[in-house]
Amino acid sequence: QVQVAESGGGSVQPGGSLRLSCEISGRTRTPFSMAWFRQRQGKEREGIADIDPDGTTSYESSVRGRFTASWANGGNSLYLDMERLTPEDNAMYFCAAGRKFVRWYQPQEFTSWGQGTQVTVSS
């Protein structure tokens, strides 16, 4: 019943930065966790980050130290701040909501998904 929608994707040069946003609406059950996933062309969807209601985060190793997930707008929005982007970060990025303490490596536990926003990293 909860709805999430990503925005903020676009084109950026290698080494650049980008902020993705996820807007949350509809009937929600709190507390809950959210996560960011991405899917590169021709590859499987992969989880890259999650965030708990209290703001605690965890990250997949390839983005740890470069990407930061954070709550915004009183919990009605979720950000993903991406830095030092590389062509390997080219992907469709999705946000998803799930029960409290669900992790990025548990995609089956997330029940509400956005439509995705494209990030293109190229020279």
Side-chain angles (χ1 to χ4, degrees):
Q1 194 168 357
V2 61
Q3 295 180 342
V4 297
E6 308 89 345
S7 63
S11 297
V12 62
Q13 295 184 7
S17 301
L18 200 64
R19 167 175 279 183
L20 304 184
S21 297
C22 177
E23 303 305 309
I24 306 163
S25 62
R27 183 181 177 88
T28 62
R29 179 174 180 174
T30 58
F32 60 92
S33 292
M34 294 194 67
W36 287 97
F37 297 83
R38 66 183 179 186
Q39 186 167 19
R40 299 176 62 190
Q41 191 172 101
K43 299 184 178 180
E44 296 181 6
R45 179 188 61 196
E46 60 178 351
I48 56 172
D50 62 60
I51 184 168
D52 290 333
D54 68 353
T56 302
T57 56
S58 63
Y59 301 93
E60 189 271 331
S61 61
S62 69
V63 308
R64 188 178 302 121
R66 298 191 300 122
F67 291 10
T68 303
S70 59
W71 295 111
N73 301 320
N76 291 314
S77 298
L78 176 69
Y79 290 157
L80 183 68
D81 290 298
M82 305 182 293
E83 298 181 342
R84 303 196 305 279
L85 287 161
T86 79
E88 295 299 311
D89 297 315
N90 281 332
M92 184 74 75
Y93 284 75
F94 302 87
C95 63
R99 63 178 175 84
K100 184 171 61 176
F101 301 141
V102 172
R103 298 294 171 228
W104 56 263
Y105 49 84
Q106 300 173 305
Q108 70 278 7
E109 298 296 332
F110 290 88
T111 56
S112 299
W113 294 79
Q115 295 298 307
T117 185
Q118 180 69 45
V119 173
T120 301
V121 185
S122 66
S123 301

